[in-house]
Amino acid sequence: MQNYFEPFSFSINMKDYRFRRTFVFLASAVLFLADSCVDPATPFANEYTPNIRLNQIGYYPTAVKKATVLQGEGKEEFKIVDKYKMEVIHTGKLSQPHDWDLAGETARVADFSSIKDAGTYMILVEGLGYSYPFEIRNSVLDSTFLGSIKGLYYQRMGIALREEHAGQWQRPMAHSDDSVLYHPSSGRTKGSLSSPGGWYDAGDYNKYVVNGSFPLGQLFLLEEQYPGIIEDKELVIPESGNGISDYLDELRYEMDWLLTMQDTDGGLFHKLTTKNFEPMVMPHEATGQRYIVGKGTAATLDFSACAAQAYRIFREQDADYAAKCLEASKRAYAWALKNPQIEFVNPLDISTGQYGDTNFDDEWFWADAELFITTKNPSYLDHLNTDSIDFTFKPAESWTGYMRFLGMFSLLENREVVPPDLYQRLRSGIMGSANVLVEKAKKLDYFQPIDDFHWGSNSDVLNAAMIMAQAYRLEKKEEYLVGVQQAMDYVLGHNAMGLSYLTGFGDKTPMFIHHRQSAADGIPEPVPGLLSGGPNSRLQDTVGGAVYPKNPAPMKSWVDQEPSYASNEICLNWNAPMTYVLGFLEQESK
Ligand code: 9MR
């Protein structure tokens, strides 16, 4: 969590809370009379009001900048205060109050887009107090971007996290996975598989091929679009200093694991897991027997797609490794051709994440697209099913449907190999999809594009933002960029919970995520850089002990409680679009 530097606080009397309240009140009254008055009472952290919601990290100078003010009845004005000079630099009018149904709130909007000078500011509303401080500057999301990638490092298994890389979240080696038993559902009855490394999927300690490939696909896209976005030594990970981008090193840690999950016949085992979720203990204390479980079409095609991408991503650094990925991708694809409809369903004795899917059209689309781009072999293009392309983004599709978008993004990115008519069709489809999202975000609560809040809703907001980001890359229309920025504002604090959902980034962030290490390590702060799933109006975790207020509004269906796996877990496929969108904004918003 951040430290608050209080250069202008009076050291003796300011420690008295009641005095400070009175002082702030009086100072506010003076400010009301004289806009440019200097108020020496920089508020303490516990005095920021939760009733002014905004991006708690900050805004780019040229961005549209909005905050939402609650309980502002009768208050017409807001002020922007320079945090360190304690000077009012701007007075603006709040919008008329309006009801937001998804948020269950009556809100007024403070638009301070005209403030462009770099600085650290707060919003002051008389009678409410000060907002959390925020910055305005170029590259304002730089450390948040690095933090969300570093979150992936903290999910590594099979190595100890050492203090020099992990600080207080260091932990011993766990889950070597060098001799994992086959479960009968894998098609094998004896022997074991060496399948070390990779990232823990989420708050649990298992690893899933579908949900390893999907996030890698999103993370690879960022590198393909903005090559070298992270350099060596930026993340402080074990490979830092090896002359290769830390981003590629981190992604390879997961890719290496995925490669081990390919069976000799080319198919991919579905997951590596215990039979049931482990208790809330540290990784090295979670010693339940692990198994290689299932083999199916979705896992195999997702792997095939991301391994074909991996060829393009790694070929400059390591041609042999890239070739290995491509060869594995082709073998997986060949297996899927022979086994086009093998659905994975949890065996009766396994209750961990299913990542089930019944329709493989989007997995085919993604694999065909990536293999075609990488190999230029027309057979993949011939197989690409363009008749049924659905450009409409739907909340909660996630790993069951978003793969088609990943295929489209890559095809649009590699225009030179794509037939012009297909390119035009994809281009107008993605722009159309983005236009719908932009229009929704103009009207919806907190100016984000989602109107139905499911498990992992923050990733829906970000996956939708990725579509608007692609539209912006195709045509530099400002409203696409604004759509992406406002989606990020939502995730970083401009939302109905008034909290930045990325652990450790912002003044108010989740403290009790459903994450076994964070629950068990005895450290008050959770592991940083992990994205909480977000509001989920289905409340499936009340059976697991999560306690919600009565009938929460959809956008308020979130609780900061460890048992809340349906609202407050973290997951790879939520961090991945977070990283993508942060990286995109850092590149495009300067
Ligand atoms: O994100 C998944 C959500 O859509 C499902 O409804 C839920 C129950 O199957 O599972 C979620 O994914 C979890 C996975 O199954 C296991 N690791 C943690 C994932 C995030 O909660």
Side-chain angles (χ1 to χ4, degrees):
M1 303 298 287
Q2 293 178 359
N3 267 327
Y4 298 101
F5 178 50
E6 306 287 345
F8 293 99
S9 290
F10 293 152
S11 54
I12 308 168
N13 292 330
M14 286 300 106
K15 296 235 156 95
D16 181 320
Y17 181 78
R18 280 159 308 168
F19 182 85
R20 280 180 55 75
R21 267 279 170 245
T22 315
F23 187 88
V24 169
F25 176 77
L26 290 174
S28 302
V30 174
L31 286 178
F32 189 70
L33 297 170
D35 268 1
S36 60
C37 181
V38 175
D39 170 10
T42 305
F44 282 128
N46 63 2
E47 292 185 346
Y48 299 128
T49 175
N51 291 325
I52 303 175
R53 279 83 185 262
L54 41 60
N55 180 332
Q56 293 175 23
I57 305 297
Y59 300 80
Y60 295 102
T62 55
V64 168
K65 306 174 191 74
K66 287 179 187 162
T68 292
V69 176
L70 301 185
Q71 299 169 20
E73 205 63 42
K75 308 290 175 198
E76 303 298 326
E77 282 185 352
F78 68 95
K79 295 176 198 303
I80 303 289
V81 180
D82 183 306
K83 181 176 192 263
Y84 295 117
K85 294 187 188 143
M86 283 312 286
E87 251 175 38
V88 174
I89 60 143
H90 174 81
T91 300
K93 268 204 147 335
L94 291 171
S95 74
Q96 285 307 305
H98 54 270
D99 290 335
W100 269 344
D101 294 340
L102 290 169
E105 291 166 341
T106 302
R108 306 184 123 195
V109 174
D111 188 333
F112 53 105
S113 307
S114 61
I115 312 300
K116 296 180 172 20
D117 289 343
T120 303
Y121 305 97
M122 297 171 296
I123 295 180
L124 172 65
V125 176
E126 306 298 341
L128 276 190
Y130 290 97
S131 72
Y132 300 113
F134 59 93
E135 281 187 281
I136 294 178
R137 67 170 167 89
N138 288 323
S139 307
V140 69
L141 299 180
D142 47 6
S143 54
T144 312
F145 172 51
L146 292 179
S148 80
I149 307 170
K150 185 75 185 258
L152 300 169
Y153 160 76
Y154 286 114
Q155 291 293 97
R156 282 192 192 191
M157 73 186 81
I159 55 162
L161 302 194
R162 297 213 311 267
E163 187 175 9
E164 64 200 279
H165 309 120
Q168 63 177 335
W169 295 282
Q170 62 182 300
R171 57 171 159 81
M173 152 83 186
H175 298 120
S176 64
D177 288 342
D178 50 5
S179 178
V180 185
L181 295 181
Y182 288 106
H183 185 272
S185 59
S186 67
R188 290 175 177 254
T189 47
K190 42 181 194 295
S192 63
L193 180 71
S194 176
S195 186
W199 302 316
Y200 295 119
D201 182 56
D204 63 320
Y205 291 138
N206 305 306
K207 35 193 182 187
Y208 307 84
V209 168
V210 166
N211 211 41
S213 309
F214 176 35
L216 267 190
Q218 295 176 298
L219 296 161
F220 283 156
L221 179 71
L222 183 70
E223 175 69 19
E224 185 158 38
Q225 294 181 332
Y226 304 100
I229 187 159
I230 297 281
E231 292 173 7
D232 188 22
K233 298 189 191 162
E234 284 197 76
L235 292 177
V236 193
I237 56 176
E239 297 78 7
S240 294
N242 67 359
I244 294 171
S245 148
D246 281 353
Y247 189 60
L248 294 190
D249 285 330
E250 194 52 57
L251 303 193
R252 184 163 167 169
Y253 198 78
E254 180 74 352
M255 191 67 221
D256 283 347
W257 166 66
L258 280 176
L259 287 162
T260 70
M261 289 292 279
Q262 185 165 37
D263 200 359
T264 46
D265 63 1
L268 268 285
F269 299 117
H270 190 78
K271 60 179 174 175
L272 190 164
T273 179
T274 44
K275 287 194 171 180
N276 304 304
F277 289 119
E278 296 269 18
M280 301 300 279
V281 297
M282 289 293 283
H284 63 283
E285 294 161 346
T287 52
Q289 181 65 53
R290 290 155 79 82
Y291 297 90
I292 302 293
V293 175
K295 189 195 278 185
T297 308
T300 301
L301 285 172
D302 289 341
F303 167 83
S304 174
C306 96
Q309 266 179 310
Y311 173 85
R312 308 198 294 274
I313 298 299
F314 292 111
R315 84 187 132 186
E316 259 179 46
Q317 286 78 30
D318 188 339
D320 291 344
Y321 184 69
K324 183 178 164 188
C325 291
L326 180 55
E327 192 268 334
S329 166
K330 289 180 185 167
R331 283 199 301 122
Y333 187 91
W335 185 90
L337 281 177
K338 283 191 228 130
N339 302 275
Q341 278 301 332
I342 309 232
E343 185 189 332
F344 175 77
V345 180
N346 261 343
L348 286 176
D349 59 339
I350 305 274
S351 67
T352 54
Q354 179 161 282
Y355 287 114
D357 200 353
T358 50
N359 180 327
F360 307 124
D361 288 352
D362 58 306
E363 285 79 10
W364 278 113
F365 190 92
W366 188 27
D368 281 324
E370 299 297 353
L371 271 166
F372 171 64
I373 294 163
T374 296
T375 65
K376 309 193 181 47
N377 180 335
S379 68
Y380 298 114
L381 187 62
D382 293 343
H383 195 265
L384 191 84
N385 184 355
T386 56
D387 301 336
S388 61
I389 306 177
D390 179 359
F391 294 103
T392 309
F393 174 81
K394 298 176 200 75
E397 275 187 320
S398 190
W399 77 90
T400 65
Y402 198 81
M403 277 58 181
R404 70 186 185 285
F405 285 113
L406 295 187
M408 293 185 228
F409 300 164
S410 286
L411 288 165
L412 289 167
E413 199 53 41
N414 290 276
R415 181 177 188 169
E416 62 289 350
V417 299
V418 180
D421 53 339
L422 175 61
Y423 179 85
Q424 285 310 331
R425 190 146 163 252
L426 295 177
R427 184 180 195 282
S428 60
I430 288 294
M431 309 275 284
S433 181
N435 291 341
V436 170
L437 293 166
V438 163
E439 288 311 310
K440 281 191 165 190
K442 281 183 190 161
K443 295 184 201 99
L444 285 173
D445 314 32
Y446 289 95
F447 310 108
Q448 56 71 50
I450 300 301
D451 53 12
D452 194 3
F453 287 75
H454 290 261
W455 199 311
S457 65
N458 281 338
S459 76
D460 283 329
V461 171
L462 293 162
N463 285 337
M466 282 184 70
I467 294 175
M468 294 187 275
Q470 307 317 304
Y472 186 71
R473 287 176 59 81
L474 292 166
E475 189 182 327
K476 295 274 179 295
K477 252 167 67 182
E478 208 200 330
E479 62 178 14
Y480 296 135
L481 185 59
V482 172
V484 182
Q485 285 169 339
Q486 293 193 150
M488 184 53 72
D489 293 341
Y490 169 85
V491 173
L492 292 177
H494 190 219
N495 57 57
M497 297 307 305
L499 137 145
S500 164
Y501 287 108
L502 190 69
T503 55
F505 289 83
D507 281 270
K508 189 179 175 204
T509 78
M511 294 300 284
F512 301 99
I513 48 175
H514 183 84
H515 182 250
R516 280 163 176 70
Q517 175 177 348
S518 297
D521 62 7
I523 299 166
E525 295 85 9
V527 171
L530 299 174
L531 185 69
S532 169
N536 173 5
S537 61
R538 275 64 175 177
L539 315 181
Q540 296 95 327
D541 48 14
T542 50
V543 289
V547 180
Y548 290 85
K550 205 165 172 235
N551 300 324
M555 240 187 212
K556 283 210 176 75
S557 301
W558 182 90
V559 284
D560 196 9
Q561 298 164 13
E562 275 159 17
S564 184
Y565 46 80
S567 86
N568 200 19
E569 188 164 1
I570 62 94
C571 201
L572 298 177
N573 65 316
W574 307 338
N575 257 67
M578 181 72 175
T579 294
Y580 177 91
V581 175
L582 286 165
F584 165 87
L585 287 174
E586 277 298 289
Q587 293 296 308
E588 299 287 354
S589 299
K590 288 178 178 159

